[in-house]
Amino acid sequence: MHINGSCLCGQISFQISEPIKSFKYCHCSRCQKVTGSAHASNLFVPPEQFEWLTGQHLVKRFELTQARFFAHCFCSVCGSSLPWQVQGGPTIVIPAGSLDDDPKVRPKHSIFWEERAPWYKETCDLEKLPPR
């Protein structure tokens, strides 16, 4: 089975195939900065399970020189976060928010928990409001 994903403007699309290696929330300071949020929600697959379908020429990559594994890919048109291959490693990191389909797996770990944002509060503790 294939799971499809895309950027916000729709000019870039990709697909991954099952099985998903893992799904984790990453609370490291780099993921906080790149997402502008408390954590990144990432799936991990080997490169042979990932394929760009359209718009690969629009993908831009940023590598933090002092980081051993971290990178960030994004759409050069709309800025959406996109999948990226780990520097020096055989893993593709898929931002869960870039998926168009339900991956049918759920996060199993919160990694770099000790680096979590000081203002972070578990979502189950927050009041739930309906859409406007």
Side-chain angles (χ1 to χ4, degrees):
M1 180 179 148
H2 294 295
I3 302 161
N4 295 301
S6 62
C7 65
L8 183 60
C9 70
Q11 293 190 53
I12 300 172
S13 63
F14 63 89
Q15 71 179 10
I16 57 176
S17 57
E18 297 180 308
I20 305 299
K21 189 162 86 175
S22 62
F23 188 174
K24 300 175 183 181
Y25 290 155
C26 183
H27 293 266
C28 80
S29 59
R30 291 173 181 153
C31 283
Q32 290 175 42
K33 291 288 185 189
V34 82
T35 64
S37 185
H39 60 77
S41 303
N42 294 324
L43 296 97
F44 300 83
V45 298
E48 60 271 12
Q49 289 176 233
F50 175 81
E51 179 183 6
W52 294 110
L53 299 176
T54 61
Q56 183 177 1
H57 67 285
L58 297 171
V59 177
K60 298 298 180 200
R61 181 178 173 100
F62 170 76
E63 291 185 3
L64 194 60
T65 54
Q66 65 269 35
R68 186 170 172 201
F69 299 108
F70 182 82
H72 176 63
C73 282
F74 56 95
C75 173
S76 60
V77 177
C78 68
S80 296
S81 292
L82 292 167
W84 51 278
Q85 184 161 358
V86 171
Q87 291 187 58
T91 301
I92 304 291
V93 178
I94 314 290
S98 68
L99 296 176
D100 299 325
D101 301 324
D102 183 349
K104 304 283 195 288
V105 296
R106 299 298 180 253
K108 295 209 180 209
H109 302 102
S110 279
I111 59 175
F112 292 96
W113 182 249
E114 64 280 355
E115 291 184 36
R116 70 189 177 277
W119 47 263
Y120 178 71
K121 186 174 182 179
E122 291 287 344
T123 59
C124 60
D125 297 335
L126 301 176
E127 180 183 1
K128 311 302 184 271
L129 301 174
R132 290 189 224 175

